[in-house]
Amino acid sequence: MISHYTEKIKQKIGKRLPRAIRHQSRSYIFLFIPILAIVLFTAAMGLILWTLNYQNKNQLEYTLFRETAYAKQRIQLRFSANEEALLELSREISNSVNQMRYPENFLKGATKLMQDSPEIIHLRWLDRDKNRLWSMPISQTHSEWTEKNTVKSRLEKELSKTFAEISETGKATYGSVINLELENKDNLSQDRNYCFWHVTPVIQGGNTVGAIAVLYSVRGIVKHMIPSDLSGL
C-alpha cells in the first residue's frame, strides 16, 4: 500500500518537474526582452544620428565648394576688369602725341579705377627709364608712404624686376608678393604690409615707352573680393 502511494508521488513529481523548469526558462527570456529592446532602440538612434550627420557634412561640403567657386570667379572677374581698365589707360597714353601732357581721359580713368578698386593702394605712371611721371593717391600733408626708406627699397626692387619682364614680353605681368614688415599695426599699415605689383606696358610703335604700375594689397583682396563668411575660415 505504501509502495503504491510512493510510486504515484514519484510519477506526479516527474510530470511537474519539466513544467517548472520550462516555466523558469521562459521567465529568464522575458527578463532579456527589455534589454534587447533597449539595445535595438540605441542602435536605431545611432544609425539615425549618423545618417543625419553624414547628410549635414555633405551639405556643408557642397556649400563650402559652391562659395569657394563663387569667390574664385569673383576674384577673377575683378582682376580681369582691372586689367582691362589699365590696358585702356595705357592706350590713352600711347595714343597721345606728347605723354607729358597728362591726357585728361587718363586722369579720369585712373581716378575712377582707384575709387572702384579699394584693393589697389597705389598707382604709378612710369616712363621708359622707370621714372615716376604721376602717381595716386597724392598726399598733400606729408611724404608718401612708398617713399620711406624701409619701404622704398623693397618696392623698387620688385618693380624693377617686373618692369624688365614687361619690357621684354610687351605683356602685363604680376610681380611677387612683398612683405614690407611695417612696424605700425593700424589698419592702414596692415593693408600695406603684404602687397604685389601689376605692371601694364605703354607701347608706341611696337616699343615699350613706359608703364602703369598698380600695387595690390593682399589684405585688401581678402576684405573686398572674398565673401565675409569665407574670409573668416
Side-chain angles (χ1 to χ4, degrees):
M1 188 71 177
I2 294 173
S3 60
H4 177 70
Y5 283 114
T6 303
E7 188 65 28
K8 285 185 176 182
I9 292 172
K10 288 181 179 181
Q11 291 177 358
K12 290 182 179 179
I13 292 174
K15 291 179 180 180
R16 292 183 179 181
L17 184 60
R19 292 180 182 179
I21 293 174
R22 288 197 297 269
H23 179 72
Q24 188 176 11
S25 300
R26 290 175 183 175
S27 299
Y28 287 146
I29 292 174
F30 288 137
L31 288 176
F32 285 109
I33 288 176
I35 298 175
L36 180 61
I38 293 173
V39 172
L40 292 175
F41 176 77
T42 303
M45 291 302 297
L47 180 61
I48 293 172
L49 291 175
W50 179 85
T51 303
L52 292 175
N53 183 62
Y54 180 75
Q55 292 177 345
N56 185 54
K57 182 180 178 181
N58 285 345
Q59 183 64 31
L60 289 175
E61 289 179 351
Y62 171 74
T63 302
L64 180 60
F65 174 79
R66 183 184 61 188
E67 293 294 334
T68 303
Y70 169 72
K72 180 181 178 181
Q73 183 182 30
R74 184 176 178 180
I75 292 172
Q76 289 175 337
L77 290 175
R78 179 71 74 88
F79 274 113
S80 296
N82 290 347
E83 289 172 6
E84 185 62 32
L86 290 167
L87 186 60
E88 187 63 30
L89 291 178
S90 72
R91 292 195 189 105
E92 290 291 341
I93 297 174
S94 62
N95 291 336
S96 63
V97 178
N98 185 352
Q99 292 187 43
M100 295 303 294
R101 286 184 178 179
Y102 286 56
E104 183 180 354
N105 290 339
F106 170 80
L107 297 178
K108 290 181 179 179
T111 302
K112 186 177 186 304
L113 176 63
M114 291 291 292
Q115 291 175 344
D116 295 343
S117 307
E119 65 275 5
I120 296 177
I121 55 178
H122 184 71
L123 184 147
R124 189 178 297 184
W125 176 10
L126 307 171
D127 64 11
R128 67 175 71 245
D129 298 318
K130 299 194 300 295
N131 296 317
R132 186 185 313 189
L133 302 177
W134 188 74
S135 64
M136 284 188 70
I138 301 173
S139 177
Q140 302 293 341
T141 57
H142 54 273
S143 60
E144 295 185 24
W145 67 274
T146 55
E147 294 300 310
K148 294 181 179 179
N149 293 332
T150 55
V151 173
K152 184 177 180 179
S153 59
R154 296 180 183 182
L155 291 179
E156 294 298 330
K157 180 180 179 181
E158 184 60 31
L159 180 58
S160 297
K161 176 183 175 183
T162 311
F163 189 91
E165 185 173 345
I166 63 111
S167 297
E168 292 181 4
T169 63
K171 298 180 180 179
T173 304
Y174 287 93
S176 302
V177 175
I178 312 165
N179 181 8
L180 298 178
E181 299 180 355
L182 300 175
E183 296 180 357
N184 296 334
K185 299 302 180 182
D186 55 90
N187 285 332
L188 205 56
S189 297
Q190 290 181 9
D191 286 344
R192 297 167 176 171
N193 204 27
Y194 290 92
C195 53
F196 58 91
W197 288 106
H198 175 265
V199 184
T200 303
V202 177
I203 299 176
Q204 281 184 340
N207 298 318
T208 301
V209 296
I212 303 172
V214 293
L215 193 64
Y216 278 97
S217 164
V218 174
R219 187 168 182 257
I221 293 172
V222 174
K223 285 168 55 178
H224 302 290
M225 291 189 183
I226 300 178
S228 57
D229 53 344
L230 281 181
S231 60
L233 295 178

